[in-house]
Amino acid sequence: MFEKSLTDLIRGIRANKKNEQKYIAACLQEIHQEIKSNDPDIKAQAVSKLSYLQMIGYDMSWASFHVVEVMSSPKFSQKLTGYLAATQSFRQDTDVLMLTTNLLKKDLASGNHLEVGIALNGLSHIVTPDLARDLCQDLVSMLSHSRPYVRKKVVLVLYKLFLKFPEALRLSFPRLKERLDDSDPSVICAVVNVICELARKNPKNYLSLAPQLFKLLNTSSNNWMLIKIIKLFGALTPLEPRLAKKLLPPITQQIQTTSAMSLLYECIHTVIIGEMLTSGGNSDALAAMCVSKLKIFLEDPDQNLKYVGLLALSKILPAYPKLVAENRDIILKCIDDHDISIRLRALDLVVGMVNKKNLTDIVKRLMSHLLPSNNNNESSTLPSTLLEPAYRADIINRIIFICSQNSYSNILNFEWYIAVLVDLTYVAGVNVGELLTTQIMDVGVRVKSVRQYCVKAMQRLLSDSSLLENCQFPESNSEVLYAAAWITGEFCSYLETPTDAIGYFVQPGVTKLPHNVQAVYIQSVLKVYAYWANSLSYNWDEDSKQELLRFTEMIKDKISMFCSSTDLEVQERAYNAREIFSIIHQNLSTTHETTFDVENNIYSSTNKSPSIISELYPLFFSYELNPVAPKAQKKVPVPEGLDLDAWINEPLPESENSESEEEEESYGYGYTQKFGGSGDLIFSSGTAIGRRRDRKSSKKGYNSEEDEETKEKVTINSFCI
Amino acid sequence: MIKSVLIFNNHGKPRITKFYQQIDIGTQQALLQEIYSLVSKRPDTACNFLEGSQMLGGKDTRVIYRHYATLYFVFVVDESESELGILDLIQVFVESLDRCFENVCELDLIFHFEEVHHILSEVISGGMVLETNISEIVSAYSEANKLKKRSGAIATISGSGAGAVARDLGANLANTVTSTLQNTLQTTVSATFPTFRRNTGFNT
């Protein structure tokens, strides 16, 4: 006998920590031999070793047949080994299972209740539809076995049978029900267990058992079973409202008297989910009692009780927000708990508790979770989970959610919210750039009063070189620069020094930004430039002309850095912009709109700026961007006699298209009239934002000549690179 | 329903894994690793309910655990189980182990993993609670143990001597377990027993 015993194997593994895999591989080799042995002891030992190796991740499905051999051993200890191996390794599709039917029948009929117990436990794991069908009768008759030890096991195994062979439920349910009156408490408990599981899937069918269960509720002192019964009633009462009335006295009794926190908790839980607070006569008193009992949970130093207390409150929240609000202070304290599980549960509640008054305070608390702690002692006690990206992202999502829910109805001060969003950009530490970008854009566009502040805040982001430097890391959230650039471009009239803003757009390093951000940068350069140049034209003189010339020259050079972008959109826009700047530059430097002042005998400039400058402005700012409700268009009645589908002019033949272009160019870029409300805050549900393009022009979809020209150049240039 | 019972030590080494639903072996190991990585980060002062499992996500699944000396006892359950009740059940299981092994320690579980499975099968059957009375559990086990000896067992509990080593190290769970509860479920649920958390860790 040189075979390793299970103990030897375990010792060996522990002694070979460094080359564990190699050692186990060698052992498996031996097991392969041993398992074929004719000596049942060696075979059983091999199977036992395999079960151990299965636990640490080694497949043993190849040995299924040998497992069945060991299961059928007459020796009790070997039978135990065999059945254990089967429970650990057999699957529904294990083919040797069909060999086990007779074996199981034999073991179930054994005179030794312990052997029967092993077989029952084994069956609860390996049962298949076939086995369930074949053994159903045997098991049902075993419900009246003389030993409670067997009866309780049979009851539980029957549930597993029902899952595989639903027919068995119909056949055995009357017999199963009888067991509710069993003399042994463990058997009754097992039956209640099974009924609970069955009722979870189909509560209606078990309403008829209510009287019997009710009797148990009043007489039993087995807390484990009471918990199960009370949970079961929680599922039944919504189906049968009359039950609630009947249940209230015993449950109230339990709530008042029980010393077991688990039972107390389940009673309160059932009162909540069983909708008993709404059906009873003195529901206010009951609700108050539940809340005061839950308070005990929340105030308990035991973290577990605190946790389940919060869990229960979150279930009350949808129906009774006021009751939850009574515990606001405790809940807010739980947000700062050092235990992440409790924090998350408290956060769920907080999200439902937010109102106008406490929003800023709650957000402040949540934000503080994201900040590194100033106090060194404090930081060492914080669990590392707080620094985990998933947790941080969760916090940020919740902040945004509570602020933006119901169309921002909880926010009183939007400047504060913009400041929060900007702060989040810096402290997030996880990639939430997309979310922040949408929020900033949404608020910036929808809330007129905040625009000035928003533009200012965006300047801070744009000028921050650290965002640019770290833009290749997603957690730097440099994506918000998209919003920053867009807001700056669109609302550039709020800029104090537009030239500075343009400077930010073309500062070194911006070409490292994501392509979609770069594209917005270029467009924004144009927009701010158009605005600034136009504002110069009001006090047009030689100085401003020189300034414009110099600046245009500079910007034309700077914008070239985007021209070599690998992204086609960026490249196209860059060439577009550069072309526009060079046209303006050329125009400024060649046209000398000067007149001879006869009186003073000198040449002086006129006060009129070149038309090209004033023409650039309407390109971007003809009409203000306003929020438009998605259904707004439908609300405008179509004037009588207007057929929107009729052509205004007959469509032109293809060949003449080019000639007509010039003539129709005037509305090629046009935006329609300001549309929708002009209120400061327009918050219809799901407001969309947009400029309506002229219906007719977009239908035809042509470009202005200028565009066409640039496009050609772009194509040429991009091929030259 | 109880979906799974896992026992592993402070280093994530499995001591017992029991899955009441058939799961392939790769997933079993991955689950074990995930739960270990989440549980081991939690301080002993935190509550015994685990959140944040990716693999066990889903509203219906709860992970409830207790940490005794060098071992984590983890129960994965669904909504039909009472959270606090399961905490007590873990306690019942550990006390039963303690009585069966007389001052149980980690090494007992390592070298008697078949016996531990057997004791577990007297507490839980097919994912449902079978027995919560500790004396019933212990007597069923010792009865089976006698029968085993008679039928010529390969190794018996007193035989392999692993326990002795551990007892020398003075790191058995027993010191930590005893006292407190006579009958958990009958009296209260308990929830926290700071004394159990004493970490007398010996590394295995």
Side-chain angles (χ1 to χ4, degrees), chain A residues 53-202:
Chain A
L53 292 176
Q54 196 271 349
M55 175 176 74
I56 51 179
Y58 291 85
D59 180 51
M60 62 173 289
S61 56
W62 56 272
S64 303
F65 180 75
H66 303 291
V67 170
V68 176
E69 282 182 311
V70 177
M71 281 162 81
S72 57
S73 161
K75 276 192 187 172
F76 180 72
S77 62
Q78 292 178 0
K79 200 174 268 303
L80 206 56
T81 301
Y83 271 101
L84 173 63
T87 61
Q88 295 296 89
S89 68
F90 282 11
R91 300 282 163 264
Q92 286 293 291
D93 56 357
T94 301
D95 49 4
V96 294
L97 271 170
M98 57 180 153
L99 302 175
T100 59
T101 317
N102 283 323
L103 171 65
L104 281 162
K105 264 187 196 280
K106 198 179 123 241
D107 285 344
L108 289 175
S110 163
N112 184 328
H113 65 280
L114 293 169
E115 271 187 22
V116 180
I118 298 175
L120 286 169
N121 184 53
L123 183 61
S124 74
H125 281 88
I126 63 175
V127 63
T128 60
D130 286 346
L131 280 175
R133 195 191 56 228
D134 296 341
L135 296 172
C136 178
Q137 279 307 325
D138 304 61
L139 286 165
V140 172
S141 59
M142 284 169 77
L143 277 172
S144 40
H145 196 279
S146 60
R147 282 182 181 267
Y149 177 81
V150 172
R151 290 203 299 275
K152 67 182 181 188
K153 289 199 169 193
V154 171
V155 169
L156 293 185
V157 170
L158 273 174
Y159 175 69
K160 291 290 197 169
L161 251 68
F162 300 156
L163 294 179
K164 300 292 173 192
F165 179 56
E167 182 80 347
L169 178 58
R170 197 180 53 83
L171 293 171
S172 64
F173 193 67
R175 299 285 304 277
L176 190 65
K177 214 170 84 175
E178 283 169 18
R179 290 299 111 207
L180 275 176
D181 299 319
D182 200 283
S183 56
D184 186 90
S186 297
V187 179
I188 301 176
C189 194
V191 179
V192 170
N193 236 326
V194 170
I195 291 171
C196 282
E197 288 300 328
L198 290 168
R200 241 160 72 85
K201 299 204 169 76
N202 196 351

Side-chain angles (χ1 to χ4, degrees), chain A residues 38 43 103 188 212 235 253 292 296 308-310 394 510 524 542 553-554 580 634 652 654:
Chain A
N38 288 324
K43 195 186 281 285
L103 171 65
I188 301 176
Q212 266 177 297
Q253 175 78 15
S292 69
I296 299 174
V308 292
L310 292 169
D394 186 48
V510 290
S524 299
E542 191 58 29
E553 173 92 50
M554 186 277 286
I580 290 171
K634 281 189 198 146
L652 297 154
E654 278 296 296

Side-chain angles (χ1 to χ4, degrees), chain A residues 291 316-328 353:
Chain A
V291 170
I316 301 188
L317 186 67
Y320 310 98
K322 272 187 194 157
L323 288 181
V324 177
E326 281 177 31
N327 292 308
R328 180 184 298 136
M353 280 171 24

Side-chain angles (χ1 to χ4, degrees), chain A residues 149 186 302 304 307 339 345, chain B residues 47-48 51 122 131 188 191-192:
Chain A
Y149 177 81
S186 297
D302 185 333
N304 291 322
Y307 177 89
D339 183 347
R345 290 285 72 81
Chain B
C47 71
N48 299 87
E51 307 228 348
E122 295 296 342
E131 185 59 72
T188 29
T192 1

Side-chain angles (χ1 to χ4, degrees), chain A residues 291 295 298-299 310 313 317 321-336 346 349-359 361-362 365:
Chain A
V291 170
K295 213 173 199 142
L298 295 175
E299 284 168 349
L310 292 169
L313 280 181
L317 186 67
K322 272 187 194 157
L323 288 181
V324 177
E326 281 177 31
N327 292 308
R328 180 184 298 136
D329 292 339
I330 305 174
I331 295 166
L332 285 178
K333 219 185 276 168
C334 291
I335 301 184
D336 297 328
L349 286 169
V350 164
V351 167
M353 280 171 24
V354 164
N355 60 31
K356 281 180 186 168
K357 279 183 207 151
N358 61 21
L359 178 75
D361 182 48
I362 288 174
R365 273 168 182 267

Side-chain angles (χ1 to χ4, degrees), chain A residues 237-386:
Chain A
T237 39
L239 300 170
E240 178 54 86
R242 281 175 299 176
L243 253 182
K245 228 173 217 169
K246 200 141 172 29
L247 279 170
L248 274 178
I251 290 190
T252 315
Q253 175 78 15
Q254 290 287 6
I255 292 178
Q256 281 165 340
T257 57
T258 185
S259 58
M261 291 305 253
S262 52
L263 183 57
L264 173 61
Y265 174 73
E266 293 304 334
C267 287
I268 297 173
H269 189 247
T270 293
V271 168
I272 297 163
I273 62 160
E275 296 163 18
M276 291 181 194
L277 287 177
T278 44
S279 55
N282 54 350
S283 60
D284 287 348
L286 182 61
M289 186 169 78
C290 284
V291 170
S292 69
K293 287 283 181 185
L294 280 178
K295 213 173 199 142
I296 299 174
F297 281 83
L298 295 175
E299 284 168 349
D300 200 282
D302 185 333
Q303 296 288 82
N304 291 322
L305 298 184
K306 213 183 263 179
Y307 177 89
V308 292
L310 292 169
L311 209 60
L313 280 181
S314 70
K315 284 181 178 143
I316 301 188
L317 186 67
Y320 310 98
K322 272 187 194 157
L323 288 181
V324 177
E326 281 177 31
N327 292 308
R328 180 184 298 136
D329 292 339
I330 305 174
I331 295 166
L332 285 178
K333 219 185 276 168
C334 291
I335 301 184
D336 297 328
D337 201 281
H338 62 88
D339 183 347
I340 188 98
S341 295
I342 288 182
R343 275 191 184 205
L344 289 173
R345 290 285 72 81
L347 282 174
D348 283 347
L349 286 169
V350 164
V351 167
M353 280 171 24
V354 164
N355 60 31
K356 281 180 186 168
K357 279 183 207 151
N358 61 21
L359 178 75
T360 46
D361 182 48
I362 288 174
V363 170
K364 206 164 122 195
R365 273 168 182 267
L366 295 182
M367 293 278 285
S368 70
H369 290 190
L370 301 169
L371 297 169
S373 171
N374 296 328
N375 189 334
N376 280 335
N377 294 330
E378 207 179 313
S379 66
S380 58
T381 58
L382 281 175
S384 55
T385 30
L386 292 186

Side-chain angles (χ1 to χ4, degrees), chain B residues 69-85:
Chain B
T70 56
L71 291 172
Y72 287 98
F73 287 69
V74 180
F75 281 40
V76 182
V77 303
D78 71 13
E79 226 172 8
S80 71
E81 300 297 339
S82 152
E83 290 89 347
L84 295 173

